[in-house]
Every structure is written in structure tokens, then in C-alpha cells.
């Protein structure tokens, strides 16, 4: 019997195939199509509307860089807001910082949270057991428009700019995020793969720049988000200064937290941009 494969067709003109050894779950959640499958290379994989969101094998390259770059660079974060991030792997990474007082996550789709909790315990069990973690179900854009709370760090761990995630790439949303930041606060956004999503990268970073007055990005490489580097938007009143935190200080702030991708040297290197990305950013 031939193997079953699933193709990700997120990007026009290219597709990436994954062998499906087992389907753990496949259903429409009312918000999006949710699939959980097992692949021999990437382990458990979660797809939303056919796009890979998280895999047990390579999540560290995304979650560590989204969490530890701003937390180590800022140094004084107490309150964190995560928008999206349904698998809760980012929350778990964030909560490794013992000085944090509160992590609030706003995710639109309760099924993503429930299935990730059942099928990715290695990614999120510690987050669910942590009293500092609070998860709210709702639209992240609506939440930031209405809340009166302030946060030292806002992490936008969104899907791509389509469907329910589209609003999380708009200037209005970023403006509302900026309004909820404490002095010296930082915003980090999932800003896609510039090589394959050049227009979306420019549009999203442009909106972030107009909303905050100064936006740039840093890079990670996540094998399942194919096409090369993934960009993480970097903005907010504390972003420019935190960008230059010395490696020795970063290492001290991360003492006791084991990582497989983040290191003080990778942290600094992540802000070096190849010219094709720097030029796209300048045009944003
Ligand atoms: N790491 C992933 C990536 O870059 O592909 C993103 C992971 S995470 C699973 C994205 C989450 O954003 C999903 O669980 C989705 O339900 C959620 N989401 C999409 N639109 C949202 C909105 N408007 N408010 C809150 N959460 C939203």
C-alpha cells in the first residue's frame, strides 16, 4: 500500500509534502480546518487550513527565538500578553523566566488549545500547570482594543495573514497593541518567510512601523516553515535599546534555562539581515 502524503500549498507555485503515518485528528473547528498528523521526521504536526503551525521536532527553533530574544534583551519583563499561540508551546517557553508575574494568552479557537493539550504535552503541560498562566478564548484584536491592562511584552504568535489571523497584521491592531505596552515595552510578531511572502512581509512590517514609529525584525530558521528565514517583527518603545544588550548580560538573564537554538551569539546574529530582507524592510 502506498504512503499517504499531505501537501502544504500555502505559497503560490510551490508545495511541500509530508508523509502521514497516522492521522490523530481532522475536523472543522468552526474557525478553521484542524489536522493533527504524525510524520516520521517531524513527529506530531498540527496544521490549520492546510498550513503547518507547529511540529514536535522543530518547534524549539520558533518558540525559543520568539520568547527568549525579547525576554533576555529587555531584562525586566513581569507581564506578558500572547495573542494566538494556540498550541501553548510559546507560553511554556516564556514561563521558564521565573521573574514573570503573569502571562495572559488570548486565542480565538478553543479546539486548537484542547487538541494541543491532549497531543503535545511535552510542549505545554508545564504551562497549564503554572498558576501565572491564564488563557482566554476570544479574538486577540478585540481583546487589545478593549483591555485596560498594560504589558511589558506582547507576542503575536499568529497564523498567516488570512482567515481569522488577517486582523493580526493590521495597523489598527498594532496601534492597539502599542497602546497596551508599559514604558520600555516590546512587541514581537510572527512576520512570515520574506523569501516566499515578500508582499505580506512588507505590508505587515509597514503597518507595524506606522503604528509604533519604528519597526525592524530579526530572524530564525524553522525547517517546516520552508523557504529560508522566518522574520519576527521587533517594535515598541523598549525595542531599540534592548536590541544592543551585551552578550554577557543576555547569558546572565538566561542562566538556568536550557536551549537548543537560542544562545547569546545566535541572539545577536539574528538581528543581522541579508540585503534582500534589509531592503524589503526599508521599503516597508
Ligand atoms: N507558530 C505558528 C506559525 O507561525 O505558523 C503559529 C501558531 S499558533 C497555532 C497560531 C494561532 O493563532 C492559532 O491557534 C489560531 O487559532 C490563532 N489565531 C488566529 N487568528 C486569531 C485571532 N484573531 N485572535 C486570536 N488568535 C488567533
Amino acid at each position: 500500500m502506498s504512503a499517504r502524503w499531505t501537501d502544504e500549498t500555502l505559497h503560490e507555485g510551490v508545495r511541500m509534502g509530508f508523509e502521514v503515518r497516522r492521522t490523530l485528528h481532522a475536523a472543522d473547528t468552526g474557525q478553521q480546518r484542524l489536522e493533527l498528523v504524525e510524520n516520521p521526521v517531524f513527529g506530531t504536526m498540527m496544521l490549520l487550513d492546510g498550513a503547518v503551525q507547529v511540529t514536535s521536532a522543530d518547534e524549539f527553533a520558533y518558540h525559543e527565538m520568539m520568547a527568549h530574544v525579547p525576554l533576555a534583551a529587555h531584562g525586566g519583563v513581569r507581564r506578558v500578553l500572547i495573542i494566538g499561540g494556540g498550541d501553548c508551546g510559546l507560553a511554556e517557553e516564556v514561563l521558564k523566566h521565573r521573574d514573570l508575574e503573569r502571562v495572559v494568552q488570548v486565542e480565538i479557537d478553543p479546539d486548537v488549545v484542547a487538541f494541543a493539550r491532549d497531543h503535545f504535552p511535552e510542549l505545554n503541560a508545564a504551562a497549564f500547570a503554572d498558576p501565572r498562566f491564564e488563557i482566554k478564548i476570544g479574538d486577540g484584536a478585540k481583546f487589545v482594543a478593549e483591555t485596560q491592562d498594560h504589558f511589558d511584552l506582547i507576542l503575536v504568535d499568529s497564523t498567516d495573514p488570512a482567515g481569522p489571523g488577517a486582523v493580526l497584521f493590521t495597523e489598527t491592531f498594532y496601534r492597539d497593541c502599542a497602546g497596551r505596552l508599559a514604558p520600555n515595552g516590546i512587541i514581537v510578531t510572527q512576520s512570515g518567510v520574506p523569501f516566499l511572502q515578500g508582499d505580506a512581509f512588507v505590508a505587515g512590517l509597514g503597518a507595524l512601523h506606522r503604528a509604533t514609529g519604528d519597526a525592524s525584525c530579526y530572524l530564525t530558521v524553522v525547517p517546516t516553515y520552508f523557504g529560508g528565514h522566518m522574520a519576527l517583527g521587533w517594535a515598541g518603545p523598549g525595542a531599540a535599546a534592548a536590541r544592543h544588550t551585551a552578550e554577557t548580560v543576555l547569558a546572565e538573564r538566561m542562566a538556568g534555562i536550557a536551549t537548543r537554538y537560542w544562545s547569546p551569539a545566535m541572539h545577536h546574529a539574528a538581528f543581522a539581515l541579508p540585503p534582500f530582507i534589509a531592503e524589503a524592510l526599508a521599503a516597508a
Side-chain angles (χ1 to χ4, degrees):
M1 198 175 76
S2 62
R4 186 167 93 73
W5 286 69
T6 183
D7 283 351
E8 181 180 86
T9 55
L10 187 60
H11 310 294
E12 207 176 315
V14 287
R15 60 175 56 189
M16 181 161 171
F18 299 95
E19 186 184 341
V20 176
R21 286 275 167 89
R22 205 154 69 100
T23 298
L24 301 168
H25 180 78
D28 287 316
T29 68
Q31 298 284 349
Q32 49 209 339
R33 175 98 188 140
L34 169 64
E35 291 166 87
L36 282 170
V37 302
E38 270 177 16
N39 172 269
V41 176
F42 289 106
T44 308
M45 306 180 63
M46 184 172 80
L47 296 91
L48 292 175
D49 290 336
V52 179
Q53 299 297 311
V54 66
T55 86
S56 51
D58 71 354
E59 57 83 26
F60 69 96
Y62 178 79
H63 291 141
E64 284 184 17
M65 289 302 276
M66 196 174 225
H68 301 312
V69 169
L71 283 160
H74 182 292
V77 173
R78 296 291 176 268
R79 295 151 298 169
V80 179
L81 173 64
I82 298 175
I83 301 292
D87 52 77
C88 300
L90 179 62
E92 175 146 327
E93 211 55 45
V94 164
L95 287 158
K96 289 179 181 171
H97 292 259
R98 301 317 305 173
D99 289 348
L100 297 188
E101 290 163 4
R102 187 168 176 237
V103 177
V104 177
Q105 177 168 335
V106 185
E107 160 62 50
I108 205 165
D109 194 333
D111 284 7
V112 176
V113 179
F115 284 102
R117 194 170 184 168
D118 284 350
H119 295 283
F120 287 104
E122 72 279 20
L123 222 82
N124 54 36
F128 286 115
D130 195 315
R132 297 171 298 163
F133 181 49
E134 181 187 346
I135 187 151
K136 297 174 185 288
I137 299 301
D139 182 347
K142 192 166 179 287
F143 177 84
V144 290
E146 292 173 356
T147 184
Q148 296 302 309
D149 287 348
H150 286 87
F151 300 90
D152 303 300
L153 174 62
I154 299 180
L155 301 172
V156 187
D157 184 12
S158 62
T159 43
D160 286 293
V167 69
L168 304 182
F169 293 80
T170 61
E171 189 177 333
T172 304
F173 167 67
Y174 293 141
R175 223 174 261 289
D176 288 338
C177 286
R180 303 329 309 159
L181 280 179
N184 295 326
I186 296 176
I187 303 175
V188 173
T189 61
Q190 190 278 98
S191 294
V193 174
F195 183 81
L196 289 175
Q197 297 169 291
D199 291 348
F201 170 72
V202 169
L205 265 293
L208 186 61
H209 186 77
R210 289 190 298 280
T212 61
D214 187 18
S216 60
C217 71
Y218 63 99
L219 303 175
T220 183
V221 175
V222 187
T224 37
Y225 305 151
F226 72 107
H229 308 95
M230 157 160 271
L232 297 167
W234 177 256
R243 149 98 184 73
H244 301 289
T245 307
E247 284 189 24
T248 46
V249 176
L250 296 172
E252 269 168 38
R253 290 176 181 167
M254 288 289 288
I257 299 178
T259 54
R260 294 172 67 203
Y261 192 106
W262 185 95
S263 70
M266 287 303 293
H267 180 123
H268 272 204
F271 285 92
L273 306 179
F276 82 95
I277 297 180
E279 283 160 20
L281 186 62

